[in-house]
């Protein structure tokens, strides 16, 4: 059997000693993500500083047939970066340079370890911003690999919409580019789309060219309270149908509002609530706001409050962004499981009501929060990891929500990705297309060294 010493010695031939770690604490930090999935230590963690070094690492891994796990910030939620067997974890934190900002093209070129807040801090100097906003301060490499989205997807799109080009190191060490700088192209297969969302199973991203946007001249946020989840979702459907260019619209159910109030010291009414944000110029926004108020009232809105002041707006969105932490704080000793289905807007209200009813049935504490503008919602379920029956109930609950979504033409994951946790639903969701995915995976990574045991089961 291959010894760790042999691998480490081969890695130290291509990297400096400081770039290769078998330290227990370092391995522990790379053994788990933010999910409830059980951790496992990688054998060794490496910290490359260039695409050439990543390529050399993959050549070593290929020679020894040892698994490789790309690692951004470890904020994923489905066990994406947890080793399932002996592994080298590639941590991209040293590759954190913003390489080029092209304001006239609205493009940036970055290394994969750059985080979204790091990028936005730099872009602000140019009056620009990067739109994709998952709750955590994730790396852009990790966000591309999970096809992340979040609160702003309803207006600006998801990670896949922002990627113009990726530099990818393939499993055998070859370095390719998947796109170019052109705003559109009909040339060749659309490799950007294939690699975005590939969860480290097809290659390592070593450079990303991404779309950015001008910071809107004016922003307004609002909080609208509804008597029922159905009336809140109906209001969102009407807003979308009216073509109001809403930048964010989030549903927070009454149980989640309770946690928000405790954690963020707010005093919001315990009712289904929409958190909204509008971007544009002052005159256009004034019209949008009036029209929105009308639509809200037509759908039985009980109370609507607008915030234009930056501090008040930030407080409102901070409360929303802290929701997962509010639950974690409110149920100490328990672990959070988050469902992530996405359905058509028409099915959304039914799906949310179904999730709430199922949650009551299994008798676990939790709340529902949704990016309702695009049909994606999360049920945050708190469970005791020392109670096997409770874990089983939570898993059964998750399963029922997923089946409900897939049977209506939806998906098991709108933004978190498949990782370990959603692999079991891939057959049901993709049918024969899953074989096509297996063919692609094996063509690019015949030895299955890239993040094995995630996204796709190649042995079936
Ligand atoms: C509180 C909280 C809220 C969240 N809210 C959202 C949300 O609203 N929307 C959302 O989409 N997600 C959300 N997430 C999940 C998470 O932030 C995203 O999945 C994020 O994209 C992961 O980025 P990361 O840098 O942490 O990647 P990691 O967790 O390190 O890795 C994620 C995946 O990407 C792969 N990967 C990482 N870097 C590379 C690379 N350079 N090349 C190839 N593959 C790579 C890894 O192998 C792994 O499969 C949330 C997480 C938390 C903790």
């Amino acid at each position: 059997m291959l010894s760790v010493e042999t691998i480490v010695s081969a890695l130290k031939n291509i990297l400096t000693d400081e770039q290769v770690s078998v330290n227990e604490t370092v391995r522990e930090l790379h053994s788990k993500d933010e999910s409830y999935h059980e951790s496992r230590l990688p054998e060794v963690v490496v910290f490359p500083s260039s695409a050439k070094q990543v390529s050399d690492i993959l050549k070593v891994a290929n020679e020894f047939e040892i698994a490789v796990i790309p690692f951004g910030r470890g904020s994923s939620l489905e066990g994406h970066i947890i080793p399932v067997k002996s592994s080298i974890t590639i941590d991209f934190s040293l590759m954190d340079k913003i390489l080029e900002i092209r304001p006239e093209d609205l493009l940036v070129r970055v290394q994969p370890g750059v985080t979204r807040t790091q990028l936005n801090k730099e872009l602000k100097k140019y009056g620009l911003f990067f739109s994709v906003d998952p709750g955590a301060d994730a790396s852009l490499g990790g966000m591309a690999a999970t096809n992340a989205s979040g609160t702003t997807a309803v207006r600006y799109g998801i990670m896949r919409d922002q990627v113009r080009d990726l530099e990818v190191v393939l499993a055998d060490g070859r370095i390719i580019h998947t796109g170019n700088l052109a705003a559109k192209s009909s040339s060749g297969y659309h490799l950007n789309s294939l690699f975005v969302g590939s969860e480290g199973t097809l290659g390592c991203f070593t450079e990303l060219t991404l779309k950015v946007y001008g910071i809107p001249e004016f922003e307004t946020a609002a909080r609208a309270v509804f008597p029922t989840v159905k009336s809140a979702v109906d209001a969102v459907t009407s807003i979308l149908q009216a073509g109001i260019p809403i930048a964010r619209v989030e549903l927070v159910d009454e149980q989640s509002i309770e946690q928000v109030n405790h954690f963020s010291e707010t005093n919001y009414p315990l009712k289904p609530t929409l958190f909204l944000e509008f971007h544009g110029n002052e005159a256009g926004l004034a019209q949008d706001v009036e029209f929105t108020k009308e639509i809200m009232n037509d759908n039985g809105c009980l109370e609507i409050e607008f915030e234009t002041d930056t501090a008040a707006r930030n407080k409102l969105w901070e409360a929303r962004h802290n929701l997962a932490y509010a639950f974690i704080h409110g149920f100490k000793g328990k672990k959070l499981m988050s469902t992530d289905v996405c359905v058509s807007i028409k099915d959304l209200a039914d799906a949310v009501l179904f999730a709430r009813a199922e949650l009551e049935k299994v008798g676990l504490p939790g709340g529902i929060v949704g990016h309702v503008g695009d049909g994606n919602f999360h049920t945050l379920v708190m469970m005791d990891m020392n109670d096997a029956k409770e874990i089983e109930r939570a898993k059964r609950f998750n399963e029922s929500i997923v089946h409900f979504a897939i049977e209506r033409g939806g998906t098991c994951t709108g933004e978190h990705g498949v990782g370990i946790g959603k692999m079991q639903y891939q057959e049901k969701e993709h049918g024969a297309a899953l074989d096509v995915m297996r063919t692609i995976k094996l063509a690019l990574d015949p030895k299955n060294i890239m993040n094995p045991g995630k996204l796709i089961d190649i042995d079936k």
Side-chain angles (χ1 to χ4, degrees):
M1 211 180 97
L2 186 65
S3 74
V4 174
E5 288 73 30
T6 312
I7 308 274
V8 168
S9 147
L11 290 168
K12 284 193 173 169
N13 283 336
I14 52 170
L15 301 168
T16 64
D17 285 1
E18 293 71 41
Q19 288 179 300
V20 182
S21 181
V22 287
N23 174 287
E24 185 86 8
T25 314
V26 172
R27 289 163 64 212
E28 167 79 28
L29 282 172
H30 295 82
S31 69
K32 55 181 184 291
D33 57 9
E34 295 272 352
S35 73
Y36 61 93
H37 295 287
E38 212 176 310
S39 63
R40 185 193 184 285
L41 265 54
E43 275 41 47
V44 50
V45 182
V46 291
F47 298 85
S49 59
S50 68
K52 164 83 172 65
Q53 287 191 340
V54 175
S55 168
D56 290 343
I57 294 164
L58 284 173
K59 284 177 191 158
V60 167
N62 234 297
E63 185 190 335
F64 293 115
E65 298 195 24
I66 181 168
V68 169
I69 303 176
F71 185 101
R73 300 281 287 199
S75 72
S76 41
L77 295 170
E78 285 296 358
H80 290 78
I81 48 80
I82 301 175
V84 296
K85 55 179 174 179
S86 295
S87 300
I88 302 171
T89 290
I90 303 185
D91 182 315
F92 283 99
S93 56
L94 292 184
M95 295 180 70
D96 65 346
K97 312 279 174 308
I98 298 170
L99 300 169
E100 191 183 5
I101 297 182
R102 301 169 66 106
E104 47 300 287
D105 287 327
L106 294 172
L107 291 176
V108 291
R109 198 160 55 84
V110 297
Q111 289 188 316
V114 172
T115 69
R116 105 192 138 78
T117 49
Q118 180 193 345
L119 179 61
N120 271 327
K121 201 166 157 209
E122 190 58 28
L123 285 175
K124 204 170 177 192
K125 298 176 190 162
Y126 299 80
L128 301 171
F129 79 106
F130 180 70
S131 64
V132 183
D133 169 28
D137 188 22
S139 73
L140 293 160
M143 287 167 64
T146 56
N147 192 19
S149 50
T151 55
T152 54
V154 63
R155 169 80 181 265
Y156 299 97
I158 60 178
M159 200 63 196
R160 188 167 274 139
D161 300 319
Q162 319 307 331
V163 173
R164 201 55 79 72
D165 180 41
L166 294 172
E167 180 181 77
V168 183
V169 181
L170 298 175
D172 60 7
R174 271 179 299 164
I175 302 177
I176 63 162
H177 278 261
T178 59
N180 49 48
L181 293 178
K184 55 187 223 177
S185 167
S186 293
S187 176
Y189 294 134
H190 204 296
L191 294 183
N192 283 346
S193 279
L194 174 64
F195 280 89
V196 174
S198 59
E199 301 186 3
T201 63
L202 297 181
C204 291
F205 309 156
T206 46
E207 209 176 283
L208 302 91
T209 301
L210 303 167
K211 263 168 77 173
V212 295
Y213 299 84
I215 294 174
E217 186 190 316
F218 208 74
E219 297 181 15
T220 302
R223 185 177 49 79
V225 181
F226 286 84
T228 61
V229 163
K230 170 106 176 64
S231 54
V233 173
D234 286 348
V236 174
T237 310
S238 304
I239 289 172
L240 295 173
Q241 283 172 343
I244 298 172
I246 197 141
R248 290 173 154 146
V249 53
E250 298 281 299
L251 171 72
V252 184
D253 76 350
E254 54 211 271
Q255 289 79 359
S256 304
I257 290 284
E258 195 178 345
Q259 297 306 320
V260 165
N261 282 345
H262 284 148
F263 189 75
S264 300
E265 294 178 354
T266 47
N267 193 20
Y268 300 147
L270 297 182
K271 294 272 179 207
T273 301
L274 293 177
F275 286 41
L276 304 109
E277 192 166 276
F278 305 83
H279 294 173
N281 59 48
E282 198 164 357
L285 273 192
Q287 273 186 349
D288 290 341
V289 162
E290 276 317 303
F291 199 7
T292 301
K293 272 190 204 159
E294 247 177 68
I295 292 174
M296 295 288 177
N297 290 333
D298 287 350
N299 284 282
C301 178
L302 301 171
E303 172 187 320
I304 183 161
E305 205 169 284
F306 284 87
E307 310 278 14
T308 42
D309 171 66
T310 307
R313 234 184 33 242
N314 287 347
K315 181 162 174 57
L316 192 139
W317 281 103
E318 205 179 287
R320 158 62 190 94
H321 272 137
N322 283 338
L323 188 55
Y325 298 110
F327 269 97
I328 292 165
H329 195 259
F331 295 91
K332 288 207 173 78
K334 295 197 179 235
K335 270 270 187 190
L336 179 113
M337 174 201 266
S338 171
T339 69
D340 181 38
V341 296
C342 189
V343 295
S344 75
I345 299 289
K346 183 168 164 285
D347 288 324
L348 182 61
D350 284 349
V352 171
L353 294 175
F354 177 79
R356 173 45 65 194
E358 289 292 299
L359 193 56
E360 303 295 330
K361 240 196 256 173
V362 292
L364 293 173
I368 294 175
V369 54
H371 311 307
V372 278
D374 46 28
N376 183 204
F377 72 92
H378 310 300
T379 318
L380 307 178
V381 187
M382 302 308 298
M383 59 184 178
D384 180 352
M385 293 308 286
N386 297 315
D387 183 339
K389 284 194 182 137
E390 200 161 302
I391 297 172
E392 192 44 45
R393 269 160 42 219
K395 286 189 174 162
R396 235 187 312 123
F397 165 76
N398 192 359
E399 210 165 278
S400 64
I401 311 280
V402 167
H403 288 304
F404 185 97
I406 294 177
E407 279 154 24
R408 278 152 192 81
T411 175
C412 65
T413 173
E415 57 183 23
H416 295 165
V418 177
I420 295 171
K422 300 277 180 351
M423 272 174 78
Q424 59 188 306
Y425 309 119
Q426 296 301 290
E427 190 83 48
K428 177 165 177 151
E429 182 167 332
H430 299 293
L434 195 57
D435 289 333
V436 177
M437 294 187 207
R438 279 195 193 102
T439 307
I440 293 170
K441 162 75 179 169
L442 286 172
L444 291 175
D445 180 17
K447 294 180 184 166
N448 192 24
I449 62 164
M450 291 304 311
N451 208 3
K454 321 291 159 50
L455 196 151
I456 190 155
D457 186 352
I458 60 139
D459 297 326
K460 284 206 171 157

